Amino acid sequence: MVLDGIDKKLLGFLQEDSKQTNKELSAKLNLSVTAVYERIKKLERLGIIQKNVCLLDKTKVNLSFVAFCHIKLMQHSKDYVIKFEKDVAKLNEVLECYHISGDYDYLLKVIVKDMEAFREFMVKKLTTISHIGSTHSTFMINEVKHTTALSLI
């Protein structure tokens, strides 16, 4: 699917604030409200817009400890990979999980209250997943940039 310039602008506006009304978006794009509505519906049908979410300030909800966990599996068999991915997807503390290349097999972004909560997560949850060979964790000192918006232009 090739996005035209208006679709890209519309997606940019929606990524900034998805609660904007179609009327507000129509004024920004110089389109009718109906045209904006139809474009949004088309982008949803095509799966380009997957869902609308609310982003929280993690410090204000007492979840400001961010850790990145590198995971190495004992083996790279299909069964081990499928089982690990299924189990890690169930962990609420894991916000992101990527199957990666290099020295480790997976990279997890974990967010919890503090170091004590992270230790409990590691001991009682993550390391109980079978087929993990080793882990290596690093902790965020400062968040320099965080965005969910994709650059389309």
Side-chain angles (χ1 to χ4, degrees), residues 116-128:
E116 185 178 328
F118 179 72
R119 183 182 188 286
E120 187 165 319
F121 164 77
M122 289 295 291
V123 171
K124 293 184 177 178
K125 293 185 178 182
L126 187 62
T127 57
T128 64

PDB file of all heavy atoms in Angstrom, residues 116-128:
ATOM      1  N   GLU A 116      14.235  -3.741  43.859  1.00  0.00           N
ATOM      2  CA  GLU A 116      13.681  -4.880  44.593  1.00  0.00           C
ATOM      3  C   GLU A 116      12.616  -5.596  43.758  1.00  0.00           C
ATOM      4  O   GLU A 116      12.586  -6.829  43.680  1.00  0.00           O
ATOM      5  CB  GLU A 116      13.083  -4.411  45.918  1.00  0.00           C
ATOM      6  CG  GLU A 116      12.600  -5.533  46.805  1.00  0.00           C
ATOM      7  CD  GLU A 116      12.064  -5.028  48.138  1.00  0.00           C
ATOM      8  OE1 GLU A 116      12.563  -4.006  48.654  1.00  0.00           O
ATOM      9  OE2 GLU A 116      11.119  -5.665  48.646  1.00  0.00           O
ATOM     10  N   ALA A 117      11.760  -4.831  43.117  1.00  0.00           N
ATOM     11  CA  ALA A 117      10.732  -5.416  42.255  1.00  0.00           C
ATOM     12  C   ALA A 117      11.364  -6.109  41.051  1.00  0.00           C
ATOM     13  O   ALA A 117      10.876  -7.154  40.602  1.00  0.00           O
ATOM     14  CB  ALA A 117       9.748  -4.343  41.807  1.00  0.00           C
ATOM     15  N   PHE A 118      12.452  -5.550  40.533  1.00  0.00           N
ATOM     16  CA  PHE A 118      13.137  -6.181  39.407  1.00  0.00           C
ATOM     17  C   PHE A 118      13.734  -7.526  39.832  1.00  0.00           C
ATOM     18  O   PHE A 118      13.618  -8.515  39.113  1.00  0.00           O
ATOM     19  CB  PHE A 118      14.231  -5.273  38.840  1.00  0.00           C
ATOM     20  CG  PHE A 118      14.965  -5.891  37.690  1.00  0.00           C
ATOM     21  CD1 PHE A 118      14.346  -6.033  36.457  1.00  0.00           C
ATOM     22  CD2 PHE A 118      16.256  -6.367  37.852  1.00  0.00           C
ATOM     23  CE1 PHE A 118      15.005  -6.637  35.392  1.00  0.00           C
ATOM     24  CE2 PHE A 118      16.927  -6.963  36.794  1.00  0.00           C
ATOM     25  CZ  PHE A 118      16.302  -7.102  35.564  1.00  0.00           C
ATOM     26  N   ARG A 119      14.357  -7.548  41.014  1.00  0.00           N
ATOM     27  CA  ARG A 119      14.919  -8.807  41.513  1.00  0.00           C
ATOM     28  C   ARG A 119      13.820  -9.855  41.660  1.00  0.00           C
ATOM     29  O   ARG A 119      13.985 -11.008  41.261  1.00  0.00           O
ATOM     30  CB  ARG A 119      15.629  -8.601  42.847  1.00  0.00           C
ATOM     31  CG  ARG A 119      16.288  -9.866  43.361  1.00  0.00           C
ATOM     32  CD  ARG A 119      16.956  -9.673  44.714  1.00  0.00           C
ATOM     33  NE  ARG A 119      17.721 -10.840  45.081  1.00  0.00           N
ATOM     34  CZ  ARG A 119      17.196 -12.005  45.497  1.00  0.00           C
ATOM     35  NH1 ARG A 119      15.886 -12.145  45.557  1.00  0.00           N
ATOM     36  NH2 ARG A 119      17.968 -13.017  45.822  1.00  0.00           N
ATOM     37  N   GLU A 120      12.698  -9.463  42.204  1.00  0.00           N
ATOM     38  CA  GLU A 120      11.583 -10.392  42.367  1.00  0.00           C
ATOM     39  C   GLU A 120      11.087 -10.889  41.008  1.00  0.00           C
ATOM     40  O   GLU A 120      10.795 -12.070  40.838  1.00  0.00           O
ATOM     41  CB  GLU A 120      10.441  -9.722  43.134  1.00  0.00           C
ATOM     42  CG  GLU A 120       9.335 -10.693  43.469  1.00  0.00           C
ATOM     43  CD  GLU A 120       8.383 -10.155  44.528  1.00  0.00           C
ATOM     44  OE1 GLU A 120       8.845  -9.542  45.496  1.00  0.00           O
ATOM     45  OE2 GLU A 120       7.169 -10.378  44.345  1.00  0.00           O
ATOM     46  N   PHE A 121      11.011  -9.991  40.035  1.00  0.00           N
ATOM     47  CA  PHE A 121      10.622 -10.382  38.680  1.00  0.00           C
ATOM     48  C   PHE A 121      11.594 -11.411  38.111  1.00  0.00           C
ATOM     49  O   PHE A 121      11.183 -12.430  37.555  1.00  0.00           O
ATOM     50  CB  PHE A 121      10.568  -9.139  37.778  1.00  0.00           C
ATOM     51  CG  PHE A 121      10.549  -9.452  36.309  1.00  0.00           C
ATOM     52  CD1 PHE A 121       9.397  -9.902  35.689  1.00  0.00           C
ATOM     53  CD2 PHE A 121      11.710  -9.320  35.546  1.00  0.00           C
ATOM     54  CE1 PHE A 121       9.383 -10.212  34.340  1.00  0.00           C
ATOM     55  CE2 PHE A 121      11.699  -9.616  34.193  1.00  0.00           C
ATOM     56  CZ  PHE A 121      10.537 -10.067  33.592  1.00  0.00           C
ATOM     57  N   MET A 122      12.886 -11.154  38.278  1.00  0.00           N
ATOM     58  CA  MET A 122      13.903 -12.079  37.750  1.00  0.00           C
ATOM     59  C   MET A 122      13.812 -13.448  38.426  1.00  0.00           C
ATOM     60  O   MET A 122      13.802 -14.479  37.750  1.00  0.00           O
ATOM     61  CB  MET A 122      15.307 -11.504  37.941  1.00  0.00           C
ATOM     62  CG  MET A 122      15.635 -10.330  37.049  1.00  0.00           C
ATOM     63  SD  MET A 122      15.696 -10.747  35.300  1.00  0.00           S
ATOM     64  CE  MET A 122      17.163 -11.752  35.223  1.00  0.00           C
ATOM     65  N   VAL A 123      13.744 -13.448  39.749  1.00  0.00           N
ATOM     66  CA  VAL A 123      13.777 -14.699  40.506  1.00  0.00           C
ATOM     67  C   VAL A 123      12.486 -15.498  40.382  1.00  0.00           C
ATOM     68  O   VAL A 123      12.513 -16.713  40.191  1.00  0.00           O
ATOM     69  CB  VAL A 123      14.088 -14.408  41.998  1.00  0.00           C
ATOM     70  CG1 VAL A 123      13.917 -15.650  42.864  1.00  0.00           C
ATOM     71  CG2 VAL A 123      15.491 -13.831  42.145  1.00  0.00           C
ATOM     72  N   LYS A 124      11.344 -14.818  40.479  1.00  0.00           N
ATOM     73  CA  LYS A 124      10.074 -15.527  40.537  1.00  0.00           C
ATOM     74  C   LYS A 124       9.383 -15.703  39.190  1.00  0.00           C
ATOM     75  O   LYS A 124       8.478 -16.524  39.060  1.00  0.00           O
ATOM     76  CB  LYS A 124       9.120 -14.822  41.494  1.00  0.00           C
ATOM     77  CG  LYS A 124       9.587 -14.891  42.927  1.00  0.00           C
ATOM     78  CD  LYS A 124       8.584 -14.265  43.857  1.00  0.00           C
ATOM     79  CE  LYS A 124       9.042 -14.399  45.305  1.00  0.00           C
ATOM     80  NZ  LYS A 124       8.103 -13.759  46.221  1.00  0.00           N
ATOM     81  N   LYS A 125       9.790 -14.925  38.192  1.00  0.00           N
ATOM     82  CA  LYS A 125       9.095 -15.009  36.905  1.00  0.00           C
ATOM     83  C   LYS A 125      10.025 -15.358  35.745  1.00  0.00           C
ATOM     84  O   LYS A 125       9.893 -16.421  35.141  1.00  0.00           O
ATOM     85  CB  LYS A 125       8.351 -13.700  36.621  1.00  0.00           C
ATOM     86  CG  LYS A 125       7.200 -13.458  37.584  1.00  0.00           C
ATOM     87  CD  LYS A 125       6.417 -12.239  37.194  1.00  0.00           C
ATOM     88  CE  LYS A 125       5.237 -12.026  38.141  1.00  0.00           C
ATOM     89  NZ  LYS A 125       4.442 -10.871  37.740  1.00  0.00           N
ATOM     90  N   LEU A 126      10.943 -14.454  35.426  1.00  0.00           N
ATOM     91  CA  LEU A 126      11.730 -14.644  34.202  1.00  0.00           C
ATOM     92  C   LEU A 126      12.570 -15.920  34.247  1.00  0.00           C
ATOM     93  O   LEU A 126      12.547 -16.715  33.317  1.00  0.00           O
ATOM     94  CB  LEU A 126      12.624 -13.433  33.929  1.00  0.00           C
ATOM     95  CG  LEU A 126      13.362 -13.468  32.596  1.00  0.00           C
ATOM     96  CD1 LEU A 126      12.383 -13.486  31.428  1.00  0.00           C
ATOM     97  CD2 LEU A 126      14.308 -12.295  32.465  1.00  0.00           C
ATOM     98  N   THR A 127      13.316 -16.130  35.332  1.00  0.00           N
ATOM     99  CA  THR A 127      14.213 -17.290  35.371  1.00  0.00           C
ATOM    100  C   THR A 127      13.485 -18.612  35.581  1.00  0.00           C
ATOM    101  O   THR A 127      14.108 -19.667  35.516  1.00  0.00           O
ATOM    102  CB  THR A 127      15.307 -17.107  36.449  1.00  0.00           C
ATOM    103  OG1 THR A 127      14.677 -16.898  37.715  1.00  0.00           O
ATOM    104  CG2 THR A 127      16.212 -15.942  36.104  1.00  0.00           C
ATOM    105  N   THR A 128      12.170 -18.561  35.794  1.00  0.00           N
ATOM    106  CA  THR A 128      11.411 -19.811  35.882  1.00  0.00           C
ATOM    107  C   THR A 128      10.987 -20.304  34.498  1.00  0.00           C
ATOM    108  O   THR A 128      10.512 -21.425  34.377  1.00  0.00           O
ATOM    109  CB  THR A 128      10.160 -19.650  36.777  1.00  0.00           C
ATOM    110  OG1 THR A 128       9.275 -18.702  36.177  1.00  0.00           O
ATOM    111  CG2 THR A 128      10.534 -19.216  38.186  1.00  0.00           C
TER     112      THR A 128
END
